[in-house]
Amino acid sequence: MKKILVTLAIILLPIAGCMAQNVKLPAPQKKGGKTVVETLWNRASGTEFSDKMLSNQDLSNLLFAAIGVNRDNGKLTSPTASNKQEIRLFVFTAEGVSEYLNTENSLKPLLTGDHRPLLAGHQEWVKSAPVILLIVADETKFGRNDERAKNIMAIDAGIVCENINMFCAGTGLVTRPRGSMDVAAIKSLLNFDDSLTLLLNNPVGYPKK
């Protein structure tokens, strides 16, 4: 599989004092990886990562697996209640933070700098993952914020997380689903209001050799 080796270190560089424009990712691949049964047998959580950054192709495939658009009608790889599509995905690397825009299969750079420690908390191993995916529920997209709605959004986030887990197991990547993070600091960093709920995160990387 030919890989595109341009990293987010380039993607997230500021341009003329402003954040870079959205960066189109390679089209997600339609073939590759283990069978579903093999993936289930290989599914395991890991805490050790290579320091090599994911290629743009692998990153594109990973993000597509999480919340990618897989049909002409705009529906996603991860189902959501009433097709609300309220789950948003943020990518943290050593170089910065970006949001995955699934309708464009592109990254929207938000911040430069290494903010992975805010997701790691007291677990030092998390900081060694070259990519950490933050799963966020957007109440404005869901249209409700009552207790039942919050429960459903949490379920939808869990589905996205499991898509990430299964993709990694099926393609030889390492990940571990987590709920720990400095929620207040991350919300302040990204200027999130109370309509955005931080639910889960997945450190992801190649296996350490």
Side-chain angles (χ1 to χ4, degrees):
M1 179 177 67
K2 185 176 179 181
K3 297 189 183 237
I4 297 173
L5 298 178
V6 180
T7 70
L8 287 182
I10 296 174
I11 289 174
L12 296 175
L13 285 176
I15 296 178
C18 300
M19 293 304 301
Q21 296 179 346
N22 295 352
V23 176
K24 187 75 173 177
L25 291 168
Q29 295 173 312
K30 294 185 177 182
K31 293 184 179 180
K34 299 178 174 66
T35 67
V36 173
V37 173
E38 289 170 330
T39 295
L40 289 168
W41 277 103
N42 281 280
R43 213 298 307 162
S45 296
T47 60
E48 294 187 325
F49 308 90
S50 165
D51 59 5
K52 180 183 176 183
M53 180 59 193
L54 296 187
S55 71
N56 276 9
Q57 185 65 71
D58 286 344
L59 182 61
S60 176
N61 294 345
L62 170 67
L63 297 173
F64 172 79
I67 58 167
V69 178
N70 67 352
R71 282 160 283 177
D72 292 339
N73 60 9
K75 293 187 177 181
L76 309 181
T77 55
S78 52
T80 58
S82 301
N83 195 35
K84 296 293 187 180
Q85 299 190 15
E86 80 282 6
I87 300 301
R88 296 168 64 181
L89 201 60
F90 296 83
V91 181
F92 283 64
T93 74
E95 303 301 328
V97 183
S98 57
E99 181 174 6
Y100 177 55
L101 305 181
N102 56 2
T103 58
E104 304 173 10
N105 192 44
S106 67
L107 291 171
K108 178 182 178 180
L110 302 176
L111 294 168
T112 57
D114 187 358
H115 304 285
R116 292 174 300 171
L118 297 181
L119 289 161
H122 299 296
Q123 295 181 310
E124 289 293 320
W125 62 266
V126 177
K127 300 175 188 177
S128 67
V131 170
I132 306 177
L133 302 182
L134 172 63
I135 302 170
V136 175
D138 188 339
E139 293 176 1
T140 63
K141 290 188 175 185
F142 195 83
R144 291 164 43 200
N145 64 357
D146 55 88
E147 184 176 358
R148 176 62 175 164
K150 290 180 184 295
N151 288 339
I152 293 172
M153 286 187 283
I155 292 169
D156 288 348
I159 294 170
V160 172
C161 182
E162 187 63 358
N163 275 21
I164 294 168
N165 298 332
M166 293 295 288
F167 174 81
C168 290
T171 58
L173 296 177
V174 178
T175 193
R176 187 181 191 94
R178 303 176 65 252
S180 301
M181 65 187 105
D182 190 336
V183 171
I186 296 168
K187 292 186 76 168
S188 176
L189 175 75
L190 297 175
N191 197 29
F192 284 173
D193 61 28
D194 289 340
S195 68
L196 296 171
T197 303
L198 283 60
L199 291 168
L200 295 163
N201 64 81
N202 274 78
V204 180
Y206 297 120
K208 186 176 182 179
K209 294 182 179 179

